[in-house]
Amino acid sequence: MKDPSAKRKAKAPRASFFLAIDAWIDSSLYEASFKARESWESLTIFFRRFRVRGWRRGVIEVLSEGFTMGAAGSVLLLALALPAFEETVGNWRQQDDFAVTFLDRYGNEIGRRGIMQRDSVPVDQMPDYLIKAVLATEDRRFFDHYGIDFLGLFRAMSENVRANSVVQGGSSITQQLAKNLFLNNERTFERKIKEAYLSIWLEHNLSKKEILQLYLDRAYMGGGAFGIEAAADFYFGKSVKDLNLAESAMLAGLFKAPAKYAPHVNLPAARARANVVLSNLVQSGFMTEGQVLSARLHPASVVDRGDQKSPDYFLDWAFDEVKRIAATTGEHSLVARTTIDLNIQKAAEESVEFNLRQHGKEYHVSEGASVVIETNGAVRAIVGGRDYGASQFNRATKALRQAGSSFKPYVYATAMEHGFTPESVISDGPISWGNWSPKNYGRSYSGRVTLTTALLRSINTVPVRLAKDYLTTAPIKATAEAMGVESPISSHKTMVLGTSGMTVMDQATGYSVFANGGLGSMRHGIQQLITHSGKVVYDWDHNHPQFKRVLSEKAVSEMNSIMVQNPEAGTARRAALPSIRSAGKTGTTQSYRDAWYVGFTGNYTAAVWLGNDDYSPTRNMTGGSLPAMVWQRLMTYAHQNIDIKPIPGIKNPYVDPRVAEKATQMEQKNADAIDVDMGRPPIMSSATTRVLLEMNQHFKSAPVLEAPPEPEKLSGL
């Protein structure tokens, strides 16, 4: 039998071992804590030597807070600038090697785009007085600053305050180049921060000579000319190397406001601006008064280019289309026959400008854009803004603005495809979708209503209920994309009320499906691409795919039967055309930031957007007010002298006489609609024109009759 005490004796050494470890840990922690306190006390005693009191402490506290705020501000500025640096990843130095001459739909030359490398004249070969004129006017301290000229900025601010207006700009040439290469003309704080960072980045990566070369080659100079060499050829018919001082001063005055001072548009203003440039040369010390006197006495004259305005926004978009199409052909020097109709283009520009001038201050709105597409998909007009010279940013093809209620037809079209009809009844009442509770514009509800009533009155709760209880957002998104919308459409539940950003071009494309009987819109701006030797490398009639059906005839007929009532009895009565039936939908976003009207006939679809570049709200402007008026003025002209086609599903393309009378009265109130000469008479119908042309052809082809012999003169008379 084992002794129990032996077992206890065997465990004793193990217990003492653990006790020893515990004691070592306790003592080590104590010693470490003691040494840490001792070190901290020594460190505190050391830093006490640097303590300041009195006024010095106040200075230190201010500097400390300043460094803290500066560090936080630097992080914020860097975060804002990071998206801009993504633009520098590509080969931004390389100029486009495409040279394209553009023709309108009738074969008339309307402009050029692209620049061959050989067309870029080195700075060293340009006249010295031209470079001095540019620097004296745009950036006198160009060689002294590092991207941002703070002294020049302070001087410009002082001059502007003294003049009580903007008479000088504070942006350096490097800042202007950064904007031209990577940014746009949006007047936002974020854009200015990006511009500042990119200016410093350019100064770090390029020499001053390279920056100046890029600036002179890429700047827009008016008249559709980009770069100073193209401008010299356009305005004076010569190379930049052959310019005299008066011509150089005139070109140097174009950089800040090319549309305002373009000599082919306003020669007196261009000469006055050139005189200012000559004064800048003297004030900056680059030249003496005696050296510029001859240029003052003999101002420059320009080549007569006529008064035809270049459709620059359309050309920019069409140039991108050419590069996309021609990338597979291997051809880089081309003639492009486009789809633009200059008469409709002029009417579209005039309508936007006219209404903004008449009512812009009233509604606190400063910008607009529109697109006109024919039923066959041909883009007939693009207005990307009021002034291409002031801003080359194309608001019609690049600006993503919330669609508001103008998105609802995509929702209702999806519902029609899923078995609903215009007479289907849906509840207009309070609704919540998760934590989202949308309300109607008037904050009231109508109970059970038909889809026709809901769309005409632009009720918000009904499309939300359709998506929540019957459709979900996925098929709505798919329908919009199938109808040609290329803008990114969100799948979030709020998308049914148009919270996704869309371009004006996409809106016109999508609605044109309704005008085309449900066939997908084959929007295009290039009809043919031809080399200068006459070889056809692309022809839309032969190269485009077949039209695809994206909406059933039933759904299109039902949707059109609703939307055709909008200009007659709905929210778009100001868009009603005289004698012609049209259809469409208004759209207004939260805080009245964006206002839309997108409408169509059997011939054309047009989308109109009005708003502000800085996203500031308008003064209660809705889609049924100014945008509808812009659309009505434009489309009234576009439908003159053509065969009126019926809207699919609507048998009669003409309005009931009683409705037409009301539309005519509204047109007269709309500030003398179409009271300018648009380039073709609005008197004869297309049938009359066709008969007259046939008669003219008969006269031309008729055999020439011989003249009868002269009768003998009677004697004696």
Side-chain angles (χ1 to χ4, degrees):
M1 189 172 185
K2 294 184 178 181
D3 186 2
S5 61
K7 187 175 183 179
R8 288 194 299 271
K9 290 178 181 179
K11 292 182 178 180
R14 184 180 298 176
S16 60
F17 173 75
F18 286 114
L19 287 173
I21 292 177
D22 181 67
W24 178 81
I25 292 174
D26 289 342
S27 61
S28 298
L29 290 175
Y30 175 78
E31 290 178 5
S33 175
F34 179 78
K35 289 181 178 180
R37 289 195 298 270
E38 192 176 48
S39 300
W40 177 255
E41 186 175 356
S42 300
L43 189 65
T44 302
I45 293 172
F46 174 77
F47 277 105
R48 282 176 182 171
R49 302 175 184 177
F50 301 98
R51 282 189 177 181
V52 292
R53 293 178 175 82
W55 65 270
R56 294 183 181 85
R57 182 169 183 175
V59 173
I60 296 299
E61 290 292 337
V62 171
L63 291 176
S64 176
E65 293 298 326
F67 282 125
T68 302
M69 295 177 64
S74 298
V75 172
L76 176 62
L77 293 179
L78 183 60
L80 292 173
L82 282 176
F85 288 125
E86 296 177 1
E87 301 289 341
T88 65
V89 176
N91 189 11
W92 51 269
R93 290 184 185 228
Q94 182 178 357
Q95 296 178 357
D96 294 313
D97 58 351
F98 285 91
V100 184
T101 301
F102 289 95
L103 312 177
D104 67 6
R105 63 180 299 192
Y106 303 111
N108 304 307
E109 184 175 334
I110 56 174
R112 301 184 181 189
R113 284 292 185 272
I115 179 171
M116 304 298 288
Q117 291 292 339
R118 65 175 180 270
D119 293 333
S120 177
V121 176
V123 172
D124 296 336
Q125 298 181 20
M126 296 182 187
D128 180 65
Y129 44 74
L130 170 63
I131 303 301
K132 289 179 178 179
V134 173
L135 295 180
T137 305
E138 297 299 318
D139 191 355
R140 298 179 186 179
R141 301 185 64 257
F142 174 68
F143 291 100
D144 299 324
H145 62 71
Y146 198 72
I148 303 174
D149 183 11
F150 292 102
L151 292 179
L153 181 62
F154 178 76
R155 182 185 66 250
M157 292 175 60
S158 301
E159 292 294 328
N160 293 338
V161 170
R162 289 172 56 187
N164 198 26
S165 65
V166 181
V167 295
Q168 286 191 13
S171 296
S172 67
I173 283 179
T174 312
Q175 288 177 276
Q176 295 179 55
L177 178 61
K179 181 180 67 175
N180 293 339
L181 289 177
F182 307 115
L183 306 173
N184 54 51
N185 287 66
E186 288 183 328
R187 297 180 179 180
T188 61
F189 183 65
E190 181 181 0
R191 198 268 292 173
K192 294 298 293 184
I193 293 175
K194 291 179 181 179
E195 181 184 289
Y197 269 91
L198 288 172
S199 300
I200 298 174
W201 184 87
L202 285 172
E203 292 278 353
H204 180 74
N205 287 274
L206 300 177
S207 66
K208 288 289 187 178
K209 181 178 177 181
E210 289 176 314
I211 292 174
L212 185 58
Q213 182 76 62
L214 282 172
Y215 178 70
L216 295 175
D217 284 345
R218 303 293 180 90
Y220 179 66
M221 305 290 287
F226 285 84
I228 202 162
E229 171 67 6
D233 178 67
F234 180 79
Y235 294 121
F236 307 116
K238 60 176 70 173
S239 171
V240 68
K241 295 182 288 186
D242 302 323
L243 296 177
N244 58 38
L245 177 57
E247 294 165 341
S248 298
M250 188 170 286
L251 289 187
L254 294 176
F255 286 94
K256 284 292 177 63
K260 182 178 181 180
Y261 299 114
H264 72 302
V265 176
N266 192 340
L267 184 59
R271 286 176 171 173
R273 175 65 174 169
N275 202 45
V276 173
V277 173
L278 295 174
S279 298
N280 291 337
L281 279 168
V282 176
Q283 293 173 4
S284 61
F286 291 155
M287 299 184 75
T288 65
E289 185 62 42
Q291 290 174 310
V292 304
L293 180 60
S294 178
R296 291 189 192 275
L297 296 176
H298 303 91
S301 297
V302 299
V303 176
D304 185 9
R305 299 290 184 182
D307 58 356
Q308 181 63 56
K309 185 179 179 182
S310 177
D312 290 308
Y313 287 115
F314 180 92
L315 292 179
D316 286 348
W317 174 76
F319 187 44
D320 291 336
E321 292 289 293
V322 169
K323 290 187 287 186
R324 178 181 59 82
I325 296 170
T328 59
T329 66
E331 300 288 347
H332 284 216
S333 184
L334 297 162
V335 176
R337 191 184 187 106
T338 70
T339 60
I340 190 173
D341 186 316
L342 288 183
N343 292 316
I344 297 178
Q345 174 71 31
K346 184 178 179 181
E349 294 170 352
E350 189 274 343
S351 183
V352 170
E353 181 62 23
F354 175 86
N355 282 282
L356 285 177
R357 283 189 178 185
Q358 292 291 320
H359 308 287
K361 290 184 179 180
E362 174 188 349
Y363 286 104
H364 184 63
V365 57
S366 59
E367 273 297 347
S370 65
V371 171
V372 181
I373 299 181
E374 198 166 339
T375 309
N376 61 6
V379 179
R380 297 304 187 198
I382 294 177
V383 180
R386 298 180 68 179
D387 187 349
Y388 187 83
S391 170
Q392 291 86 58
F393 179 65
N394 196 331
R395 296 159 187 82
T397 61
K398 295 182 179 179
L400 295 175
R401 307 294 296 228
Q402 287 190 347
S405 293
S406 64
F407 186 81
K408 290 175 182 176
Y410 301 106
V411 180
Y412 284 84
T414 306
M416 301 301 175
E417 290 287 358
H418 284 72
F420 287 83
T421 68
E423 290 73 33
S424 297
V425 176
I426 298 293
S427 173
D428 170 29
I431 184 174
S432 294
W433 194 346
N435 58 355
W436 182 47
S437 299
K439 295 177 174 58
N440 293 326
Y441 179 76
R443 304 289 178 175
S444 60
Y445 304 98
S446 303
R448 295 174 62 80
V449 296
T450 64
L451 294 190
T452 297
T453 301
L455 185 55
L456 291 178
R457 292 172 54 189
S458 199
I459 294 173
N460 288 336
T461 60
V462 171
V464 174
R465 199 176 302 278
L466 284 172
K468 177 178 180 290
D469 297 339
Y470 303 99
L471 302 174
T472 74
T473 59
I476 299 172
K477 181 176 185 293
T479 297
E481 292 171 346
M483 293 174 68
V485 175
E486 297 179 359
S487 304
I489 302 297
S490 171
S491 296
H492 192 265
K493 54 196 173 187
T494 58
M495 60 91 77
V496 296
L497 296 186
T499 56
S500 295
M502 299 177 69
T503 66
V504 181
M505 176 67 78
D506 279 347
Q507 285 277 61
T509 303
Y511 274 64
S512 66
V513 173
F514 298 122
N516 200 24
L519 298 179
S521 174
M522 301 291 292
R523 79 178 183 206
H524 60 284
I526 306 300
Q527 193 69 33
Q528 274 188 333
L529 289 180
I530 309 169
T531 65
H532 288 278
S533 62
K535 177 185 176 183
V536 178
V537 297
Y538 172 81
D539 190 301
W540 189 85
D541 291 330
H542 296 92
N543 294 93
H544 76 87
Q546 294 296 318
F547 285 94
K548 293 183 179 179
R549 178 163 294 282
V550 296
L551 292 178
S552 66
E553 293 183 7
K554 172 180 174 294
V556 170
S557 178
E558 291 172 337
M559 286 298 300
N560 290 349
S561 70
I562 301 176
M563 288 193 289
V564 79
Q565 301 177 52
N566 235 330
E568 299 169 5
T571 58
R573 285 187 283 271
R574 293 186 182 182
L577 300 178
S579 304
I580 302 172
R581 300 202 78 179
S582 64
K585 183 69 183 75
T586 57
T588 310
T589 63
Q590 288 185 341
S591 300
Y592 299 97
R593 286 187 172 88
D594 303 281
W596 297 79
Y597 184 69
V598 192
F600 55 92
T601 64
N603 299 83
Y604 296 105
T605 300
V608 174
W609 165 85
L610 295 178
N612 296 308
D613 284 343
D614 59 2
Y615 294 91
S616 61
T618 64
R619 190 172 292 117
N620 299 332
M621 183 178 66
T622 63
S625 57
L626 205 54
M629 294 163 62
V630 172
W631 190 93
Q632 194 269 354
R633 186 177 179 88
L634 157 64
M635 295 291 269
T636 297
Y637 173 78
H639 287 79
Q640 293 173 356
N641 201 29
I642 63 172
D643 290 324
I644 305 301
K645 300 177 182 178
I647 297 172
I650 308 299
K651 294 182 179 180
N652 187 3
Y654 297 100
V655 184
D656 180 272
R658 291 169 295 180
V659 180
E661 183 180 354
K662 293 181 179 179
T664 302
Q665 294 173 355
M666 185 171 295
E667 177 194 3
Q668 293 174 350
K669 292 180 180 179
N670 189 10
D672 300 324
I674 314 304
D675 59 351
V676 296
D677 179 14
M678 293 297 187
R680 62 182 184 184
I683 301 172
M684 296 181 295
S685 67
S686 59
T688 304
T689 304
R690 187 164 53 249
V691 171
L692 290 176
L693 290 174
E694 291 175 356
M695 291 174 60
N696 182 57
Q697 189 62 34
H698 285 305
F699 281 124
K700 288 183 177 180
S701 60
V704 179
L705 297 177
E706 295 183 2
E710 294 184 3
E712 295 182 1
K713 295 182 179 179
L714 297 176
S715 61
L717 292 178

